[in-house]
């Protein structure tokens, strides 16, 4: 099993042919790193070229970090590296949210702004049900109010 090491951020190199466009995710990942710290290392090959973790590297740079946790996967062939790089991103596309469970989980998080990580909490706000009634006011033939009358409603 490979060990996680701390590596100077300048020694970690993005894969130049990375097919993922991740600019929109960088701020969200940076917010996650600030809130929770590093929980997933960047995975690099034997030349310190990123296999997975491009967005984490960009987020670390945005946060002006000097070092990042890295797992060197030097036991993979060149073909395995390419396959893992693609598979890691592609497999996440097949997951979906169970919106009821997600709503329950988000409802329990009170002190952390989950919108900072990309959640749209307005999706989970229940609109109050509007109930129509049968009230029809009876309008008098001769109104009692006169032009210029002032009414006090409560203490307003």
């Amino acid at each position: 099993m490979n060990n996680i090491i701390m590596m100077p951020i300048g020694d970690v190199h993005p894969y130049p042919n990375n097919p993922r466009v991740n600019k929109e995710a960088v701020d969200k990942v940076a917010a996650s790193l600030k809130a929770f710290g590093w929980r997933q290392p960047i995975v690099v090959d034997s030349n310190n070229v990123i296999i997975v973790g491009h967005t984490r590297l960009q987020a670390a740079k945005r946060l002006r970090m000097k070092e990042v946790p890295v797992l060197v996967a030097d036991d993979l062939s060149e073909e395995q590296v390419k396959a893992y790089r693609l598979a890691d991103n592609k497999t996440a596309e097949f997951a979906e949210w169970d919106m009821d469970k997600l709503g329950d989980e988000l409802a329990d998080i009170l002190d952390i702004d989950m919108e900072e990580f990309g959640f749209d909490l307005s999706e989970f706000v229940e609109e109050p049900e509007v109930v129509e009634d049968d009230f029809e006011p009876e309008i008098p033939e001769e109104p009692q109010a006169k032009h210029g009358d002032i009414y006090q409603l409560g203490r307003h």
Side-chain angles (χ1 to χ4, degrees):
M1 190 68 176
N2 303 59
N3 292 324
I4 297 171
I5 60 171
M6 293 303 291
M7 186 176 285
I9 200 166
D11 291 352
V12 179
H13 309 292
Y15 177 58
N17 201 33
N18 180 26
R20 287 291 278 186
V21 178
N22 55 10
K23 289 181 179 129
E24 295 297 319
V26 174
D27 286 338
K28 309 292 187 253
V29 173
S32 178
L33 289 176
K34 280 176 60 176
F36 312 115
W38 283 90
R39 300 294 174 229
Q40 289 179 283
I42 296 170
V43 180
V44 298
D45 64 16
S46 58
N47 296 314
N48 297 342
V49 175
I50 296 176
I51 301 172
V52 296
H54 286 86
T55 309
R56 289 189 291 277
L57 178 66
Q58 289 180 8
K61 286 180 178 180
R62 185 157 297 164
L63 295 171
R64 300 174 195 247
M65 295 180 167
K66 304 285 186 228
E67 291 184 319
V68 292
V70 170
L71 186 142
V72 181
D74 54 7
D75 58 336
L76 300 176
S77 70
E78 188 175 326
E79 183 178 35
Q80 286 175 316
V81 166
K82 285 183 176 286
Y84 178 33
R85 185 177 285 124
L86 297 176
D88 183 68
N89 285 292
K90 185 65 177 175
T91 54
E93 294 175 12
F94 294 101
E96 296 180 8
W97 291 106
D98 177 320
M99 297 308 280
D100 291 334
K101 289 180 181 179
L102 177 60
D104 291 345
E105 290 296 306
L106 289 170
D108 290 339
I109 301 171
L110 304 176
D111 297 326
I112 298 172
D113 179 7
M114 295 304 289
E115 289 184 341
E116 192 174 11
F117 311 115
F119 288 95
D120 181 2
L121 300 181
S122 67
E123 296 177 31
F124 301 97
V125 176
E126 290 186 30
E127 296 294 325
E129 185 179 340
V130 176
V131 178
E132 296 291 331
D133 60 28
D134 294 332
F135 179 75
E136 286 291 328
E138 191 175 308
I139 302 173
E141 286 185 31
E142 187 64 36
Q144 295 178 352
K146 305 283 187 259
H147 183 68
D149 284 351
I150 298 174
Y151 293 85
Q152 181 174 346
L153 304 173
R155 295 182 355 205
H156 297 281

